[in-house]
Amino acid sequence: MVVMLGIDVHKNTHTAVAVEQVERKLDQKTVRATDAGHRQLLRWALRNWPDTELTFAVEDCRHVSTRLERALLAAGQTVVRVPPKLMAGARSSARTRGKSDPIDALAIARAALREPNLPAATHDSVSREVKLLVDHREDLVNTRTQMQNRLRWHLHELDPELDPTARSLDRLCELDRLTAWLAQQPASMVVRIATELVTDIRALTVRANALERELAQRMAHLAPRLLAIPGCGALTAAKIVGETANVTRFRSEACFAMHAGVAPIPASSGKTNRHRLARGGNRQLNAALHRIAVTQTRLAGPGRDYIHRRRTTGDTTMEALRALKRRLARVVYNTLHHDTTQQPTTLPAAA
């Protein structure tokens, strides 16, 4: 007998619902989102189903489920991550109407039973550190972008003819020029705020550039073959490593492609044979593969040649691009496997 325990995670509480293989609800329990609550949840599961194969299905919200996953994995339990879109589909097909933590937990458990090849959660401190660094850098860049937008309006108020070119506010030489120009302006509140913004933008730029260099060094050590793929720079490689979170947890490259949201969905009817865009999966990982694909279409090589072949067979540009992303998922999966296991293999450098 196999018991699936779906867990709806929140900042303060976790609600678990136990379901058997025929998707019949067995029991439910709500605990505090603390270490003591995690131990209480584990004792409850082991006490009620002592001689049963247990699988914990957790909604993939790692900002609130990380500590729970660590506690379950440390206890030797099997943990799988359920994408929120799958949970929503299972909930809409249930006879129980409405929304609550037990209803969501039941939907998570049923979605995990219907999708046996979901990626398992694993301990991987290396990829987690990379993801934390990537997310931190992106937060700094987003904050810098907001400041740059405000700075442009203040500069326009001071002098409409002073219009820095696009993306020039990321360069330290341009920031130095603006600092010198502002120092020559008559004292006013707008000049003061603009000067402070330039100073803050400079500080954020220095920190973001330092993080980019650190990520580049980590990727050169962790995934050197990934960097060899045309169109895959250090930041894109770091995004892939961080979002993949240990490629060995995927049973096959098809599972990896499904997780990345690049597995085309059949949309054929009659004489029409086509596939449509998959809107599920990890959109951050999907975006990283998209950047590689778009870059390869601009470079002479296998990627551009593949797009051309697909276009000559009748595919639209977007359909050809989606097909290229699917091939890139295979290349990335095999490359990550090589970098992880260090097993010699021959892989193409592009799609």
Side-chain angles (χ1 to χ4, degrees):
M1 179 180 177
V2 177
V3 172
M4 182 70 67
L5 294 104
I7 304 177
D8 184 42
V9 293
H10 289 279
K11 183 178 180 180
N12 297 321
T13 62
H14 299 325
T15 298
V17 171
V19 176
E20 59 182 357
Q21 283 182 297
V22 294
E23 300 187 7
R24 182 174 64 91
K25 180 179 176 180
L26 300 175
D27 199 359
Q28 72 179 56
K29 188 173 184 62
T30 300
V31 299
R32 298 286 297 172
T34 60
D35 292 340
H38 300 160
R39 291 191 294 268
Q40 182 184 359
L41 176 63
L42 187 59
R43 287 195 301 268
W44 167 76
L46 295 176
R47 182 176 62 251
N48 284 286
W49 303 280
D51 300 320
T52 305
E53 180 183 349
L54 300 178
T55 300
F56 292 83
V58 182
E59 185 180 5
D60 196 356
C61 301
R62 268 166 271 182
H63 54 293
V64 291
S65 64
T66 297
R67 291 182 62 85
L68 174 63
E69 289 181 0
R70 289 178 180 174
L72 294 174
L73 291 171
Q77 300 300 314
T78 301
V79 182
V80 297
R81 293 173 178 150
V82 179
K85 282 186 176 291
L86 283 182
M87 181 266 295
R91 188 176 60 199
S92 63
S93 64
R95 289 184 295 177
T96 305
R97 302 185 64 182
K99 185 183 186 305
S100 66
D101 291 351
I103 292 176
D104 287 347
L106 178 61
I108 292 169
R110 287 175 172 170
L113 285 173
R114 298 171 188 175
E115 299 288 341
N117 295 324
L118 290 174
T122 59
H123 280 302
D124 188 0
S125 59
V126 174
S127 64
R128 174 167 169 76
E129 289 178 356
V130 171
K131 177 174 172 55
L132 289 173
L133 286 175
V134 171
D135 291 346
H136 181 47
R137 182 187 176 278
E138 289 180 350
D139 289 340
L140 294 179
V141 172
N142 291 337
T143 301
R144 181 182 65 182
T145 301
Q146 295 174 357
M147 291 184 175
Q148 289 171 341
N149 292 336
R150 293 199 298 271
L151 175 62
R152 285 185 179 277
W153 282 113
H154 290 313
L155 294 177
H156 180 78
E157 180 179 349
L158 293 172
D159 186 356
E161 295 184 355
L162 180 64
D163 186 16
T165 58
R167 300 182 181 180
S168 64
L169 294 180
D170 296 345
R171 297 196 293 266
L172 298 182
C173 60
E174 179 68 15
L175 296 175
D176 291 339
R177 187 181 71 83
L178 288 176
T179 300
W181 183 83
L182 289 169
Q184 300 174 357
Q185 304 305 306
S188 67
M189 186 57 66
V190 175
V191 171
R192 172 188 168 184
I193 294 175
T195 303
E196 292 179 357
L197 285 173
V198 171
T199 302
D200 293 340
I201 292 171
R202 165 185 280 279
L204 290 172
T205 299
V206 171
R207 294 170 62 188
N209 292 343
L211 286 173
E212 183 175 355
R213 290 191 296 270
E214 180 180 352
L215 287 169
Q217 294 174 357
R218 285 176 177 258
M219 290 302 99
H221 174 70
L222 295 174
R225 288 170 62 88
L226 191 61
L227 292 174
I229 298 176
C232 185
L235 293 179
T236 299
K239 173 65 75 173
I240 291 174
V241 170
E243 295 297 333
T244 300
N246 192 352
V247 72
T248 59
R249 67 192 181 100
F250 296 98
R251 184 177 58 85
S252 65
E253 57 91 12
C255 295
F256 176 75
M258 183 66 70
H259 175 71
V262 296
I265 299 176
S268 302
S269 179
K271 296 182 179 180
T272 302
N273 184 16
R274 60 181 297 271
H275 294 77
R276 70 170 178 85
L277 172 69
R279 292 182 174 84
N282 186 317
R283 305 315 298 173
Q284 294 290 320
L285 189 55
N286 186 287
L289 294 174
H290 184 80
R291 286 194 293 271
I292 298 175
V294 170
T295 303
Q296 288 198 0
T297 61
R298 300 171 181 170
L299 302 175
R304 178 188 286 183
D305 295 340
Y306 179 77
I307 289 286
H308 179 70
R309 289 197 304 270
R310 298 288 302 202
R311 294 285 286 124
T312 57
T313 60
D315 284 357
T316 65
T317 301
M318 293 309 300
E319 287 174 341
L321 189 63
R322 287 196 290 269
L324 176 59
K325 288 168 64 176
R326 177 61 182 87
R327 288 172 62 91
L328 282 171
R330 183 181 301 113
V331 174
V332 168
Y333 174 84
N334 292 331
T335 303
L336 288 175
H337 250 293
H338 177 274
D339 288 334
T340 301
T341 61
Q342 292 299 307
Q343 295 177 353
T345 182
T346 301
L347 296 174

